[in-house]
Amino acid sequence: MTEVLVVADGWQSQPDAEAVIHRAVAAAAEMAGTDVGDAELAIMLTDDAGIRTLNLNWRGIDKPTNVLSFPALQPTGAGAPDDAPRMLGDIAIAFETTRREADDEQKPFDHHLSHLAVHGFLHLIGYDHENDDDAEAMESLETEILAQLGIPDPYADRERTD
């Protein structure tokens, strides 16, 4: 189950944002081949000020970014109730940065929002881009998921280093 929380006014200009996110996350869950079952995640649609605070508090970086993911710690041992929902974690997406990047890259806002939602979700299920091989695997899966949604490869215009 995905819950989308809108906490910044800028998102009012994007009335379909919640539907775009639900569609992107559902496609990512299916294509990633990871059984998320009834796992829960929350996606907060914030602004640059909100994500800048999160970025500073959690990563020590004092600037806004487009998306942040916070994987949930999974309970272990006998302390967790059997019927407790599994939490995947939280994703935060900043409106102004998302808008600016979409405009700079001359792509539809909903395409870029879908990409950020997919990217954030993949982080929650264990993907990262800390080294070239991991980045290649993650970007390849993102591209496949987005293609399933009818969205062009977001990395197509970037120079690849081989």
Side-chain angles (χ1 to χ4, degrees):
M1 179 177 99
T2 302
E3 183 175 355
V4 178
L5 308 165
V6 180
V7 300
D9 291 339
W11 290 99
Q12 293 173 354
S13 68
Q14 301 298 319
D16 296 333
E18 189 171 341
V20 167
I21 288 168
H22 282 290
R23 184 172 172 244
V25 168
E30 181 180 329
M31 300 249 343
T34 302
D35 180 21
V36 294
D38 291 334
E40 296 181 5
L41 74 132
I43 300 177
M44 179 175 65
L45 300 180
T46 188
D47 55 19
D48 277 5
I51 211 160
R52 179 180 184 170
T53 299
L54 290 170
N55 209 16
L56 178 60
N57 291 344
W58 293 96
R59 299 175 64 220
I61 300 171
D62 189 14
K63 67 178 189 176
T65 188
N66 52 16
V67 62
L68 291 172
S69 297
F70 302 95
L73 295 175
Q74 298 303 319
T76 57
D82 290 339
D83 61 348
R86 189 174 74 140
M87 301 297 294
L88 284 181
D90 302 313
I91 299 170
I93 302 174
F95 178 75
E96 295 93 337
T97 298
T98 302
R99 170 89 273 159
R100 185 175 55 257
E101 290 174 350
D103 291 347
D104 289 351
E105 297 170 19
Q106 300 179 348
K107 61 175 69 168
F109 183 87
D110 64 327
H111 287 190
H112 193 47
L113 179 58
S114 294
H115 181 204
L116 296 178
V118 167
H119 185 88
F121 177 82
L122 292 179
H123 276 304
L124 293 183
I125 62 170
Y127 285 84
D128 69 45
H129 40 81
E130 295 298 316
N131 63 52
D132 289 344
D133 289 341
D134 289 345
E136 180 70 29
M138 186 171 181
E139 290 171 9
S140 177
L141 183 54
E142 286 173 7
T143 301
E144 288 178 41
I145 293 164
L146 294 171
Q148 185 76 18
L149 295 168
I151 299 172
D153 179 354
Y155 302 108
D157 292 337
R158 186 183 69 194
E159 284 188 35
R160 302 230 186 222
T161 55
D162 293 320

